[in-house]
Amino acid sequence: MRVLSLNMRKALFSQETGEVVIFLLTITHPELEAPIYLTTDPTTRFSDVPLVYGTMSRGIQFLYAGIDVTLPDEQDKAPPASKLTIANVTRELIPLARSVSTPPSVKIEAVLASALDAVEMIWPAMDMANLTYDASFLQFDLTMDALVTEPYPSGTFSPASFPGLFY
């Protein structure tokens, strides 16, 4: 169960609110020189030439790029899955996406615009898979390792497995 702040709960449950939920994405891969930080909200103008917007959270500049994130679902029998669509405005992302040999990891965090340094929700790192792209967008499936959904402990205490417990 997630524990959310009162402001986050108010923003989520209000019919109308001035609060904005911002999603921060961190893309990491061993072959990348540095992680790629992206945001869903143009909170602050970082520079005029070139025109760059983004969000500053915990001392990290998350760059704004038209991002559409479908949050991971929580099915009982399947690992969480999500979709990520990134606008390919600068045309630099396609060669970057093609250059890595293994899937990059994406961590998704949610913050409020009024409290950018307080992370409200975190989804564990998911792997990018199934890249499709055209001149304007890159679309990825975000998947999680199936081991995350395996029951622990692996055995169950049932009459067939442990008959001595059920006398």
Side-chain angles (χ1 to χ4, degrees):
M1 185 170 105
R2 291 189 171 98
V3 178
L4 301 175
S5 69
L6 180 61
N7 290 339
M8 180 67 140
R9 284 182 281 157
K10 281 183 182 178
L12 293 174
F13 297 130
S14 295
Q15 184 173 357
E16 297 176 8
T17 182
E19 192 63 75
V20 177
V21 178
I22 300 172
F23 292 98
L24 306 173
L25 283 74
T26 304
I27 302 172
T28 57
H29 191 275
E31 295 176 17
L32 293 175
E33 293 177 12
I36 299 171
Y37 299 105
L38 302 173
T39 181
T40 58
D41 190 64
T43 310
T44 308
R45 182 182 287 190
F46 290 142
S47 70
D48 292 325
V49 178
L51 186 60
V52 177
Y53 285 93
T55 302
M56 182 70 79
S57 177
R58 302 172 311 250
I60 301 170
Q61 284 188 353
F62 290 83
L63 300 177
Y64 173 71
I67 298 174
D68 184 25
V69 179
T70 304
L71 295 178
D73 54 2
E74 295 184 11
Q75 303 292 327
D76 288 338
K77 303 288 183 190
S82 179
K83 286 204 177 293
L84 172 63
T85 304
I86 303 173
N88 190 24
V89 179
T90 63
R91 310 288 189 261
E92 295 175 2
L93 293 175
I94 291 175
L96 181 64
R98 287 182 185 165
S99 69
V100 294
S101 58
T102 57
S105 295
V106 179
K107 180 173 73 171
I108 303 173
E109 301 170 304
V111 297
L112 291 174
S114 62
L116 295 172
D117 290 334
V119 177
E120 295 284 347
M121 292 182 272
I122 299 176
W123 287 268
M126 294 181 276
D127 294 331
M128 285 184 171
N130 303 330
L131 167 65
T132 56
Y133 59 89
D134 58 15
S136 4
F137 293 101
L138 286 89
Q139 185 171 20
F140 301 92
D141 290 334
L142 300 177
T143 59
M144 191 172 288
D145 188 8
L147 290 176
V148 173
T149 59
E150 288 294 319
Y152 180 82
S154 61
T156 57
F157 294 103
S158 65
S161 300
F162 299 91
L165 292 175
F166 295 94
Y167 281 118

